[in-house]
Amino acid sequence: MEKEFLNKLYMKSRADRIKGLALSNVISTEDAILLKDDLHLPAEVADHMIENQIATYELPLGVAVNFLIDQKEYVVPMAVEEPSVIAAASSAAKMINLAGGFQTTIQNRTMIGQVVLKDIPDMIFARDMVIKHQKDILQKANEAHPSIVKRGGGAKEIIIRPIAADKTFQTPSFLVIHLHIETLEAMGANIVDTMVEAIKPYLEKLTNGTALMAILSNYATECLATANCRIPVWSLGKGEYTGEEVRNRIIEACQLAIADPYRAVTHNKGIMNGIDSVVLATGNDWRAIEAGVHAFAARSGQYRSLSSWSKAENGDLLGSLTVPLPIGAVGGSINFHPAAQLSKRILGYQSAKELESIIVSVGLAQNLSALKALVTEGIQKGHMGLQAKSLAISAGAIGKEVKYVADHLKQRKNMNLAAAKEILRQLKEK
Ligand code: MEV
Protein backbone atom coordinates (compact mmCIF):
# COMPACT_ATOMS: atom_id res chain seq x y z
CA MET A 1 0.00 0.00 0.00
CA GLU A 2 1.45 3.38 -1.05
CA LYS A 3 0.19 5.42 1.85
CA GLU A 4 1.17 8.89 0.66
CA PHE A 5 -1.80 8.89 -1.75
CA LEU A 6 -4.16 8.33 1.17
CA ASN A 7 -3.11 11.51 2.99
CA LYS A 8 -5.97 13.90 3.70
CA LEU A 9 -8.34 11.83 1.61
CA TYR A 10 -11.25 13.70 3.22
CA MET A 11 -10.11 16.96 1.65
CA LYS A 12 -10.16 15.56 -1.88
CA SER A 13 -12.99 15.44 -4.39
CA ARG A 14 -14.65 12.05 -4.92
CA ALA A 15 -12.80 11.64 -8.23
CA ASP A 16 -9.42 12.40 -6.62
CA ARG A 17 -10.20 10.11 -3.73
CA ILE A 18 -10.81 7.24 -6.15
CA LYS A 19 -7.59 8.13 -7.97
CA GLY A 20 -5.73 8.18 -4.62
CA LEU A 21 -7.08 4.74 -3.73
CA ALA A 22 -5.98 3.38 -7.10
CA LEU A 23 -2.49 4.97 -6.86
CA SER A 24 -2.05 3.52 -3.40
CA ASN A 25 -3.06 0.07 -4.71
CA VAL A 26 -6.07 -0.14 -2.40
CA ILE A 27 -8.29 -0.60 -5.44
CA SER A 28 -7.46 -1.87 -8.92
CA THR A 29 -7.65 0.25 -12.08
CA GLU A 30 -10.77 -1.75 -13.03
CA ASP A 31 -12.43 -0.83 -9.74
CA ALA A 32 -11.44 2.81 -10.20
CA ILE A 33 -13.23 2.77 -13.58
CA LEU A 34 -16.21 0.99 -12.01
CA LEU A 35 -16.42 3.60 -9.26
CA LYS A 36 -16.20 6.48 -11.71
CA ASP A 37 -19.69 5.61 -12.93
CA ASP A 38 -20.73 4.87 -9.35
CA LEU A 39 -21.74 1.47 -8.15
CA HIS A 40 -25.35 0.31 -8.22
CA LEU A 41 -27.18 -2.83 -7.42
CA PRO A 42 -28.59 -3.79 -10.84
CA ALA A 43 -32.40 -3.52 -10.93
CA GLU A 44 -32.61 -7.09 -12.23
CA VAL A 45 -30.62 -8.42 -9.22
CA ALA A 46 -32.58 -6.33 -6.70
CA ASP A 47 -35.84 -7.60 -8.19
CA HIS A 48 -34.83 -11.18 -7.42
CA MET A 49 -33.49 -10.49 -3.94
CA ILE A 50 -36.76 -9.76 -2.12
CA GLU A 51 -40.50 -10.03 -2.53
CA ASN A 52 -42.36 -7.07 -4.05
CA GLN A 53 -39.19 -5.05 -4.70
CA ILE A 54 -39.85 -1.53 -5.99
CA ALA A 55 -36.56 0.38 -5.60
CA THR A 56 -33.15 0.24 -3.94
CA TYR A 57 -32.38 2.14 -0.74
CA GLU A 58 -28.90 3.58 -1.04
CA LEU A 59 -26.35 4.62 1.57
CA PRO A 60 -22.97 6.28 1.10
CA LEU A 61 -20.04 3.84 1.01
CA GLY A 62 -16.81 5.40 2.28
CA VAL A 63 -13.41 4.24 3.48
CA ALA A 64 -11.73 4.61 6.87
CA VAL A 65 -7.94 4.82 6.73
CA ASN A 66 -4.97 4.20 9.07
CA PHE A 67 -5.98 0.74 10.26
CA LEU A 68 -3.11 -1.52 11.33
CA ILE A 69 -4.55 -4.83 12.52
CA ASP A 70 -2.35 -7.77 13.47
CA GLN A 71 0.53 -6.07 11.62
CA LYS A 72 -1.44 -5.71 8.39
CA GLU A 73 -2.57 -2.37 6.95
CA TYR A 74 -6.18 -1.91 5.88
CA VAL A 75 -8.37 0.69 4.27
CA VAL A 76 -11.82 -0.22 5.55
CA PRO A 77 -15.04 0.24 3.54
CA MET A 78 -17.97 1.43 5.65
CA ALA A 79 -21.61 1.92 4.58
CA VAL A 80 -23.24 4.50 6.82
CA GLU A 81 -25.47 7.58 6.78
CA GLU A 82 -24.10 9.25 9.95
CA PRO A 83 -21.65 11.99 8.91
CA SER A 84 -18.97 11.62 11.62
CA VAL A 85 -18.52 7.85 11.76
CA ILE A 86 -15.75 7.38 9.18
CA ALA A 87 -13.79 10.42 10.38
CA ALA A 88 -13.95 9.10 13.95
CA ALA A 89 -12.75 5.62 12.94
CA SER A 90 -9.81 6.96 10.92
CA SER A 91 -8.64 9.34 13.64
CA ALA A 92 -8.79 6.71 16.41
CA ALA A 93 -6.99 4.17 14.20
CA LYS A 94 -4.19 6.72 13.72
CA MET A 95 -3.80 7.12 17.50
CA ILE A 96 -3.82 3.35 17.98
CA ASN A 97 -1.09 2.95 15.34
CA LEU A 98 1.35 4.85 17.54
CA ALA A 99 1.80 1.77 19.71
CA GLY A 100 1.56 -0.94 17.06
CA GLY A 101 -2.11 -1.01 16.06
CA PHE A 102 -4.74 -3.57 17.03
CA GLN A 103 -4.10 -7.12 18.19
CA THR A 104 -7.00 -9.49 17.76
CA THR A 105 -8.00 -12.94 18.96
CA ILE A 106 -10.69 -14.84 17.09
CA GLN A 107 -12.44 -17.81 18.65
CA ASN A 108 -13.15 -20.92 16.63
CA ARG A 109 -16.16 -20.07 14.47
CA THR A 110 -18.85 -22.29 15.95
CA MET A 111 -22.51 -21.53 15.29
CA ILE A 112 -25.37 -22.75 17.45
CA GLY A 113 -28.55 -24.40 16.19
CA GLN A 114 -31.48 -25.03 18.53
CA VAL A 115 -34.03 -27.82 18.48
CA VAL A 116 -36.77 -27.03 20.99
CA LEU A 117 -38.80 -29.92 22.39
CA LYS A 118 -41.92 -29.64 24.52
CA ASP A 119 -44.38 -31.94 26.31
CA ILE A 120 -41.57 -34.24 27.42
CA PRO A 121 -43.11 -36.89 29.70
CA ASP A 122 -39.83 -37.65 31.54
CA MET A 123 -37.07 -35.04 31.38
CA ILE A 124 -34.38 -37.24 32.93
CA PHE A 125 -35.12 -40.09 30.55
CA ALA A 126 -35.15 -37.68 27.59
CA ARG A 127 -31.82 -36.13 28.59
CA ASP A 128 -30.22 -39.55 29.07
CA MET A 129 -31.47 -40.67 25.64
CA VAL A 130 -29.94 -37.62 23.97
CA ILE A 131 -26.63 -38.19 25.77
CA LYS A 132 -26.67 -41.88 24.82
CA HIS A 133 -27.38 -41.16 21.13
CA GLN A 134 -25.12 -38.12 20.72
CA LYS A 135 -23.03 -39.79 18.02
CA ASP A 136 -26.11 -40.74 15.96
CA ILE A 137 -27.55 -37.24 16.29
CA LEU A 138 -24.30 -35.68 15.07
CA GLN A 139 -24.12 -38.18 12.22
CA LYS A 140 -27.69 -37.43 11.10
CA ALA A 141 -26.96 -33.69 11.25
CA ASN A 142 -23.81 -34.08 9.19
CA GLU A 143 -25.52 -36.35 6.64
CA ALA A 144 -27.96 -33.49 5.98
CA HIS A 145 -25.13 -31.22 4.79
CA PRO A 146 -22.27 -33.38 3.52
CA SER A 147 -20.46 -30.60 1.64
CA ILE A 148 -19.56 -28.65 4.82
CA VAL A 149 -18.29 -31.90 6.38
CA LYS A 150 -16.13 -32.56 3.32
CA ARG A 151 -14.51 -29.15 3.81
CA GLY A 152 -13.66 -29.92 7.44
CA GLY A 153 -16.65 -28.34 9.18
CA GLY A 154 -19.99 -29.69 10.35
CA ALA A 155 -21.78 -30.56 13.58
CA LYS A 156 -19.26 -31.22 16.34
CA GLU A 157 -21.03 -31.17 19.67
CA ILE A 158 -24.37 -31.37 21.44
CA ILE A 159 -25.34 -29.37 24.52
CA ILE A 160 -28.54 -30.12 26.44
CA ARG A 161 -30.36 -27.19 28.02
CA PRO A 162 -33.49 -27.95 30.02
CA ILE A 163 -35.54 -24.76 30.40
CA ALA A 164 -37.59 -25.06 33.58
CA ALA A 165 -41.26 -24.08 33.74
CA ASP A 166 -41.76 -20.54 35.05
CA LYS A 167 -44.92 -19.88 37.05
CA THR A 168 -44.51 -16.10 36.90
CA PHE A 169 -44.61 -16.04 33.12
CA GLN A 170 -46.79 -19.17 32.90
CA THR A 171 -44.29 -20.88 30.59
CA PRO A 172 -44.09 -24.66 30.40
CA SER A 173 -40.78 -26.52 30.52
CA PHE A 174 -38.79 -27.15 27.36
CA LEU A 175 -35.87 -29.32 26.47
CA VAL A 176 -33.57 -27.35 24.20
CA ILE A 177 -30.89 -29.22 22.32
CA HIS A 178 -28.00 -27.15 21.00
CA LEU A 179 -26.06 -28.34 18.01
CA HIS A 180 -22.60 -26.74 17.72
CA ILE A 181 -21.66 -26.46 14.08
CA GLU A 182 -18.47 -25.24 12.43
CA THR A 183 -19.60 -23.38 9.33
CA LEU A 184 -16.08 -22.38 8.18
CA GLU A 185 -16.19 -19.37 5.85
CA ALA A 186 -19.96 -18.98 5.78
CA MET A 187 -22.18 -17.29 8.35
CA GLY A 188 -23.98 -20.57 7.96
CA ALA A 189 -27.66 -19.86 8.66
CA ASN A 190 -28.68 -22.29 5.89
CA ILE A 191 -26.25 -24.97 7.00
CA VAL A 192 -27.42 -24.71 10.61
CA ASP A 193 -31.13 -24.62 9.77
CA THR A 194 -30.80 -27.61 7.44
CA MET A 195 -29.03 -29.63 10.12
CA VAL A 196 -31.36 -28.82 13.02
CA GLU A 197 -34.43 -29.51 10.92
CA ALA A 198 -32.92 -32.83 9.87
CA ILE A 199 -32.45 -34.05 13.45
CA LYS A 200 -35.82 -32.78 14.71
CA PRO A 201 -37.87 -35.99 14.05
CA TYR A 202 -35.11 -38.19 15.51
CA LEU A 203 -35.01 -36.07 18.68
CA GLU A 204 -38.80 -36.30 19.00
CA LYS A 205 -38.54 -40.07 18.82
CA LEU A 206 -35.69 -40.26 21.33
CA THR A 207 -37.32 -37.98 23.91
CA ASN A 208 -41.01 -38.86 23.40
CA GLY A 209 -41.51 -35.11 23.08
CA THR A 210 -42.92 -32.81 20.42
CA ALA A 211 -40.72 -30.40 18.52
CA LEU A 212 -41.75 -26.75 18.70
CA MET A 213 -39.09 -25.41 16.36
CA ALA A 214 -35.57 -25.85 15.01
CA ILE A 215 -33.52 -22.76 14.13
CA LEU A 216 -30.13 -21.06 14.31
CA SER A 217 -29.51 -19.01 17.46
CA ASN A 218 -28.23 -15.51 16.72
CA TYR A 219 -26.74 -15.39 20.20
CA ALA A 220 -23.37 -16.54 18.84
CA THR A 221 -21.51 -17.03 22.13
CA GLU A 222 -19.20 -19.56 20.46
CA CYS A 223 -18.05 -17.12 17.80
CA LEU A 224 -16.36 -14.32 19.75
CA ALA A 225 -13.91 -11.78 18.41
CA THR A 226 -11.61 -9.64 20.59
CA ALA A 227 -9.53 -6.60 19.70
CA ASN A 228 -6.96 -5.03 22.02
CA CYS A 229 -5.09 -1.78 21.67
CA ARG A 230 -2.73 0.54 23.53
CA ILE A 231 -2.56 4.32 23.24
CA PRO A 232 0.54 6.13 24.49
CA VAL A 233 -0.58 8.48 27.26
CA TRP A 234 1.40 11.42 25.82
CA SER A 235 -0.72 11.32 22.64
CA LEU A 236 -4.02 11.73 24.48
CA GLY A 237 -3.72 15.36 25.61
CA LYS A 238 -6.46 17.61 24.24
CA GLY A 239 -7.23 21.30 24.85
CA GLU A 240 -7.06 22.03 28.54
CA TYR A 241 -6.59 18.32 29.42
CA THR A 242 -3.26 16.52 29.81
CA GLY A 243 -2.79 13.01 28.42
CA GLU A 244 -3.09 11.57 31.94
CA GLU A 245 -6.35 13.41 32.53
CA VAL A 246 -7.87 12.27 29.23
CA ARG A 247 -6.80 8.66 29.94
CA ASN A 248 -8.35 8.77 33.41
CA ARG A 249 -11.54 10.35 32.12
CA ILE A 250 -11.88 7.69 29.37
CA ILE A 251 -11.47 4.98 32.02
CA GLU A 252 -14.12 6.69 34.17
CA ALA A 253 -16.46 6.99 31.17
CA CYS A 254 -16.12 3.23 30.68
CA GLN A 255 -16.72 2.56 34.37
CA LEU A 256 -19.93 4.53 34.06
CA ALA A 257 -21.01 2.48 31.03
CA ILE A 258 -20.37 -0.70 33.04
CA ALA A 259 -22.53 0.54 35.92
CA ASP A 260 -25.34 2.46 34.17
CA PRO A 261 -27.44 0.84 31.41
CA TYR A 262 -28.66 4.25 30.18
CA ARG A 263 -25.08 5.21 29.38
CA ALA A 264 -24.11 1.66 28.31
CA VAL A 265 -26.66 1.66 25.48
CA THR A 266 -25.25 4.89 24.02
CA HIS A 267 -21.66 3.75 24.59
CA ASN A 268 -22.38 0.49 22.76
CA LYS A 269 -24.31 2.32 20.04
CA GLY A 270 -21.06 4.16 19.31
CA ILE A 271 -19.25 0.82 19.00
CA MET A 272 -22.01 -0.44 16.67
CA ASN A 273 -21.59 2.67 14.49
CA GLY A 274 -18.31 1.10 13.43
CA ILE A 275 -19.29 -2.57 13.50
CA ASP A 276 -22.57 -2.19 11.59
CA SER A 277 -21.02 -0.01 8.89
CA VAL A 278 -18.45 -2.68 8.00
CA VAL A 279 -20.92 -5.53 8.43
CA LEU A 280 -23.22 -3.77 5.98
CA ALA A 281 -20.46 -2.84 3.52
CA THR A 282 -19.31 -6.46 3.40
CA GLY A 283 -22.78 -7.83 2.66
CA ASN A 284 -23.38 -9.38 6.06
CA ASP A 285 -26.55 -9.63 8.17
CA TRP A 286 -26.38 -6.63 10.50
CA ARG A 287 -29.65 -7.51 12.29
CA ALA A 288 -28.11 -10.82 13.38
CA ILE A 289 -24.99 -9.06 14.65
CA GLU A 290 -27.00 -6.33 16.44
CA ALA A 291 -29.28 -8.84 18.20
CA GLY A 292 -26.38 -11.03 19.32
CA VAL A 293 -24.11 -8.20 20.43
CA HIS A 294 -26.72 -6.58 22.67
CA ALA A 295 -27.65 -9.90 24.28
CA PHE A 296 -23.92 -10.39 24.93
CA ALA A 297 -23.76 -6.95 26.58
CA ALA A 298 -26.47 -8.12 28.98
CA ARG A 299 -24.90 -11.52 29.76
CA SER A 300 -24.26 -10.62 33.43
CA GLY A 301 -27.97 -9.93 33.94
CA GLN A 302 -27.50 -6.18 33.40
CA TYR A 303 -26.83 -4.39 30.14
CA ARG A 304 -23.21 -3.10 30.30
CA SER A 305 -20.37 -1.67 28.26
CA LEU A 306 -19.01 -4.07 25.64
CA SER A 307 -15.54 -2.51 25.83
CA SER A 308 -13.15 -2.04 28.70
CA TRP A 309 -10.54 0.69 29.15
CA SER A 310 -7.75 0.56 31.74
CA LYS A 311 -4.35 1.95 32.64
CA ALA A 312 -1.22 0.04 31.63
CA GLU A 313 1.74 -0.32 33.99
CA ASN A 314 3.62 2.39 32.10
CA GLY A 315 0.62 4.73 32.17
CA ASP A 316 -0.64 4.08 28.62
CA LEU A 317 -4.34 3.61 27.95
CA LEU A 318 -5.37 0.01 27.18
CA GLY A 319 -8.58 -0.83 25.33
CA SER A 320 -10.32 -4.12 24.74
CA LEU A 321 -13.51 -5.15 22.99
CA THR A 322 -15.11 -8.59 22.72
CA VAL A 323 -18.27 -9.22 20.68
CA PRO A 324 -19.96 -12.18 19.01
CA LEU A 325 -19.32 -11.81 15.27
CA PRO A 326 -20.97 -14.55 13.23
CA ILE A 327 -20.24 -12.96 9.87
CA GLY A 328 -19.42 -14.76 6.64
CA ALA A 329 -16.76 -14.34 3.99
CA VAL A 330 -18.91 -16.17 1.44
CA GLY A 331 -22.59 -16.78 0.83
CA GLY A 332 -25.75 -14.72 0.47
CA SER A 333 -25.41 -11.25 -0.99
CA ILE A 334 -21.61 -11.34 -0.50
CA ASN A 335 -21.52 -13.44 -3.65
CA PHE A 336 -23.37 -11.01 -5.90
CA HIS A 337 -23.88 -7.54 -4.36
CA PRO A 338 -21.47 -5.26 -6.26
CA ALA A 339 -20.66 -3.11 -3.19
CA ALA A 340 -20.06 -6.15 -0.99
CA GLN A 341 -17.79 -7.57 -3.65
CA LEU A 342 -15.91 -4.29 -3.96
CA SER A 343 -15.51 -4.22 -0.15
CA LYS A 344 -14.06 -7.72 -0.28
CA ARG A 345 -11.53 -6.65 -2.91
CA ILE A 346 -10.60 -3.50 -0.95
CA LEU A 347 -10.05 -5.41 2.31
CA GLY A 348 -8.48 -8.39 0.59
CA TYR A 349 -9.50 -10.61 3.49
CA GLN A 350 -8.61 -14.24 3.08
CA SER A 351 -10.99 -15.67 5.66
CA ALA A 352 -14.04 -14.95 7.78
CA LYS A 353 -11.71 -14.83 10.80
CA GLU A 354 -9.69 -12.04 9.21
CA LEU A 355 -12.90 -10.12 8.50
CA GLU A 356 -13.92 -10.55 12.14
CA SER A 357 -10.55 -9.06 13.21
CA ILE A 358 -11.19 -6.02 11.05
CA ILE A 359 -14.77 -5.50 12.24
CA VAL A 360 -14.04 -5.79 15.96
CA SER A 361 -11.08 -3.39 15.58
CA VAL A 362 -13.26 -0.78 13.87
CA GLY A 363 -15.74 -1.09 16.78
CA LEU A 364 -12.98 -0.42 19.30
CA ALA A 365 -11.63 2.52 17.29
CA GLN A 366 -15.10 4.05 17.11
CA ASN A 367 -15.49 3.73 20.87
CA LEU A 368 -12.15 5.42 21.53
CA SER A 369 -12.99 8.37 19.29
CA ALA A 370 -16.39 8.88 20.90
CA LEU A 371 -15.07 8.63 24.46
CA LYS A 372 -12.14 10.95 23.82
CA ALA A 373 -14.41 13.60 22.34
CA LEU A 374 -17.07 13.18 25.05
CA VAL A 375 -14.66 13.57 27.98
CA THR A 376 -12.83 16.54 26.45
CA GLU A 377 -14.41 19.12 24.15
CA GLY A 378 -17.78 17.31 23.81
CA ILE A 379 -19.19 15.59 20.76
CA GLN A 380 -20.71 18.57 18.97
CA LYS A 381 -17.54 20.51 18.19
CA GLY A 382 -15.90 17.76 16.16
CA HIS A 383 -19.16 16.97 14.41
CA MET A 384 -19.92 20.55 13.46
CA GLY A 385 -18.31 20.57 10.01
CA LEU A 386 -19.96 17.32 8.97
CA GLN A 387 -23.29 18.23 10.46
CA ALA A 388 -23.22 21.56 8.65
CA LYS A 389 -22.75 19.72 5.34
CA SER A 390 -25.57 17.34 6.15
CA LEU A 391 -27.90 20.25 7.02
CA ALA A 392 -26.90 22.06 3.82
CA ILE A 393 -27.88 18.99 1.77
CA SER A 394 -31.15 18.65 3.71
CA ALA A 395 -31.90 22.28 2.92
CA GLY A 396 -31.58 21.49 -0.78
CA ALA A 397 -28.05 22.74 -1.51
CA ILE A 398 -26.28 21.09 -4.44
CA GLY A 399 -22.75 21.25 -5.90
CA LYS A 400 -20.77 24.26 -4.70
CA GLU A 401 -23.77 25.48 -2.70
CA VAL A 402 -23.12 22.72 -0.14
CA LYS A 403 -19.74 24.13 0.91
CA TYR A 404 -21.04 27.69 0.87
CA VAL A 405 -24.04 26.91 3.07
CA ALA A 406 -22.01 24.69 5.43
CA ASP A 407 -19.28 27.33 5.88
CA HIS A 408 -21.81 30.04 6.67
CA LEU A 409 -23.78 27.73 8.93
CA LYS A 410 -20.71 27.04 11.07
CA GLN A 411 -20.48 30.74 11.83
CA ARG A 412 -24.06 30.86 13.11
CA LYS A 413 -24.89 30.53 16.79
CA ASN A 414 -27.70 28.11 16.03
CA MET A 415 -26.86 25.46 13.45
CA ASN A 416 -30.18 24.07 12.28
CA LEU A 417 -32.20 23.32 9.15
CA ALA A 418 -34.03 26.67 9.23
CA ALA A 419 -30.70 28.53 9.28
CA ALA A 420 -29.39 26.35 6.41
CA LYS A 421 -32.50 27.12 4.31
CA GLU A 422 -32.14 30.82 5.07
CA ILE A 423 -28.47 30.85 3.94
CA LEU A 424 -29.34 28.94 0.78
CA ARG A 425 -32.20 31.33 0.00
CA GLN A 426 -29.88 34.32 0.44
CA LEU A 427 -27.26 32.67 -1.80
CA LYS A 428 -29.84 32.07 -4.55
CA GLU A 429 -31.05 35.67 -4.36
CA LYS A 430 -27.52 37.02 -4.90
C1 MEV B 1 -23.30 8.78 18.24
O1 MEV B 1 -23.72 8.15 17.06
C2 MEV B 1 -22.46 7.85 19.08
C3 MEV B 1 -22.05 8.40 20.46
O2 MEV B 1 -23.22 8.83 21.16
C4 MEV B 1 -21.38 7.27 21.19
C5 MEV B 1 -21.11 7.54 22.65
O3 MEV B 1 -21.81 8.37 23.27
O4 MEV B 1 -20.20 6.88 23.19
C6 MEV B 1 -21.16 9.58 20.33
Side-chain angles (χ1 to χ4, degrees), residues 105-391:
T105 320
I106 309 300
Q107 211 184 25
N108 230 0
R109 292 172 40 79
T110 303
M111 305 302 158
I112 300 169
Q114 296 193 296
V115 181
V116 182
L117 300 153
K118 65 180 191 105
D119 304 332
I120 306 258
D122 182 342
M123 274 285 187
I124 295 177
F125 169 82
R127 209 195 53 195
D128 288 349
M129 286 295 277
V130 174
I131 294 172
K132 202 167 144 200
H133 293 88
Q134 269 186 81
K135 256 185 145 177
D136 302 334
I137 301 167
L138 289 174
Q139 192 182 334
K140 282 189 196 308
N142 284 324
E143 279 167 7
H145 211 296
S147 63
I148 191 75
V149 180
K150 237 185 251 163
R151 280 179 271 137
K156 304 284 180 186
E157 201 186 344
I158 285 166
I159 307 283
I160 305 167
R161 295 181 55 244
I163 305 287
D166 187 324
K167 281 204 184 106
T168 315
F169 299 105
Q170 297 188 343
T171 53
S173 57
F174 297 102
L175 186 65
V176 182
I177 310 297
H178 278 195
L179 196 57
H180 283 195
I181 304 163
E182 286 176 15
T183 57
L184 307 177
E185 294 308 312
M187 186 265 197
N190 283 331
I191 300 170
V192 174
D193 292 344
T194 304
M195 286 191 175
V196 286
E197 285 193 1
I199 60 171
K200 205 166 68 169
Y202 184 53
L203 284 170
E204 282 183 310
K205 215 166 87 188
L206 283 178
T207 61
N208 293 324
T210 310
L212 181 65
M213 66 173 80
I215 184 76
L216 162 87
S217 169
N218 287 121
Y219 191 22
T221 52
E222 306 300 315
C223 186
L224 301 180
T226 300
N228 290 298
C229 69
R230 169 188 288 267
I231 300 103
V233 69
W234 59 261
S235 68
L236 284 165
K238 185 147 190 170
E240 66 198 88
Y241 297 102
T242 64
E244 280 80 7
E245 283 169 332
V246 174
R247 176 201 61 209
N248 294 346
R249 288 168 71 82
I250 289 176
I251 294 170
E252 283 163 352
C254 189
Q255 287 165 342
L256 171 68
I258 291 169
D260 174 21
Y262 280 87
R263 174 56 206 153
V265 171
T266 321
H267 177 101
N268 291 344
K269 188 273 181 184
I271 293 172
M272 297 315 286
N273 276 344
I275 291 183
D276 283 341
S277 309
V278 189
V279 166
L280 194 54
T282 55
N284 274 286
D285 179 349
W286 78 97
R287 288 92 54 211
I289 302 297
E290 276 283 333
V293 163
H294 295 296
F296 190 67
R299 67 194 179 284
S300 67
Q302 184 188 309
Y303 189 93
R304 299 181 196 279
S305 164
L306 287 159
S307 62
S308 63
W309 293 95
S310 59
K311 181 178 154 184
E313 269 179 19
N314 73 348
D316 287 351
L317 176 67
L318 298 177
S320 184
L321 173 68
T322 298
V323 282
L325 272 185
I327 49 81
V330 296
S333 69
I334 304 166
N335 291 351
F336 56 79
H337 195 293
Q341 294 202 310
L342 174 73
S343 295
K344 194 169 186 173
R345 292 193 292 274
I346 292 178
L347 287 170
Y349 58 83
Q350 299 297 313
S351 66
K353 281 190 175 181
E354 188 180 345
L355 181 55
E356 281 188 50
S357 293
I358 298 165
I359 296 172
V360 68
S361 299
V362 176
L364 187 58
Q366 210 75 45
N367 188 221
L368 173 64
S369 246
L371 293 185
K372 189 176 175 209
L374 285 168
V375 302
T376 57
E377 63 189 14
I379 211 78
Q380 288 301 74
K381 194 168 177 227
H383 284 188
M384 241 161 58
L386 293 158
Q387 257 170 8
K389 254 193 192 174
S390 178
L391 282 169

